Amino acid sequence: MIEKVDYIWMDGEFVRWDDATIHLLTHSLHYGLGVFEGIRCYSTKDGPAIFRLTDHMRRLLRSAKIHLITPKYSAEELVEVTKELVRRNGVDACYIRPIMYLGYGEMGLNPLNCEVRTAIAIWPWGTYLGEEGLKHGVRVRISSFRRLEPNIIPHAAKATGQYINSILAKVEALQSGYDEAILLNSHGYVTDGSGENIFQVRDGVLTTPPLSSGALEGITRDTILTIAGDLGYETREADLVRSDLYIADELFFTGTAAEVVPIREVDGREIGEPGPITRKCQEVFFSVVHGELERYRHWLEFV
Ligand code: PY5
């Protein structure tokens, strides 16, 4: 169950949590066209700080552009409102969910005349794949569902409806006894997890699928590419096939909800306990988000 806080921001107003309701005939509910973000605020010794907030809001606006949703607020305005929402709710660590959706008014498939609604909710959310997964790694399977692609539904946008694809993969993985799914594109290349990017480590080199594979332009992915490069590791964006995962020295997921999570098994092939590079990336990542490393403080937006 979601843990309640006091306020949700909706179209310019701070609304009480239980009053943050919408009409049944909200366009986005019926056809799944809306765009959203997932962001985290972490506690630091200098107070709550939102990790790469501006980068997330910019991605939200790029998602809107892809789907011809005209934003009512600029990235700067959304940044300010998010900080105010965190302040008003008096929390110091939380997950942040901005969403732009099409409201009540029109029901045809032409969305261009629909009213664009904007809301931001926050709530305390522990790590998505569990504490155990964070420490010892999760078990994953390759999904029988293929990742949607640019000429079906553009994967570059983070749109609500495209998560049906992720949900099919996630549920299939859970029902067959795994923790998470990895999706391939229709050419057989690895894209990402249902809600995470993926990194493979072999002979000390980190490889993550390129954005053209169908992977989301993850902000945690970019963070890890930067950190790993700064640590002196070679990083590559290159296509991977499923057997590249089976024979990896190390594998891990990255994402806002999931954070940095080791993978210990793929389709019954053991990868094992988290390796040294995974551990190092995880350790540095958590120091970065908690504001302990001066070099990366520019990624923190203090409320
Ligand atoms: N790939 C997919 C399909 C995602 O949904 C996400 C984020 C990522 C990669 C990682 O991107 P980033 O590092 O920018 O977060 N997923 C959301 C999240 O908040 C929703 C998960 C339930 O992590």
Side-chain angles (χ1 to χ4, degrees), residues 36-39 56 59 95-97 125 128 147 158 162-163 166 192-198 214-222 254-259:
F36 71 101
E37 270 303 318
I39 313 171
H56 278 281
R59 186 172 66 186
Y95 184 80
I96 300 167
R97 169 56 53 84
W125 205 10
Y128 182 63
R147 172 60 84 208
K158 201 168 162 61
Q162 80 192 55
Y163 279 81
S166 287
D192 47 11
S194 69
E196 308 85 7
N197 289 110
I198 186 168
L216 181 73
E217 191 174 353
I219 288 167
T220 322
R221 173 185 182 275
D222 177 72
T254 64
T256 298
E259 302 175 307

Side-chain angles (χ1 to χ4, degrees), residues 6 21 39 58 73 130 135 170 215 244 269 285 289 301:
D6 293 336
T21 55
I39 313 171
R58 288 195 183 134
Y73 300 91
K135 273 206 194 83
K170 177 81 181 182
D244 291 321
R269 277 82 170 175
F285 174 79
V289 296
E301 293 170 58

Side-chain angles (χ1 to χ4, degrees), residues 184-200:
L184 308 179
N185 63 26
S186 56
H187 304 289
Y189 295 114
V190 175
T191 63
D192 47 11
S194 69
E196 308 85 7
N197 289 110
I198 186 168
F199 282 78
Q200 182 237 38

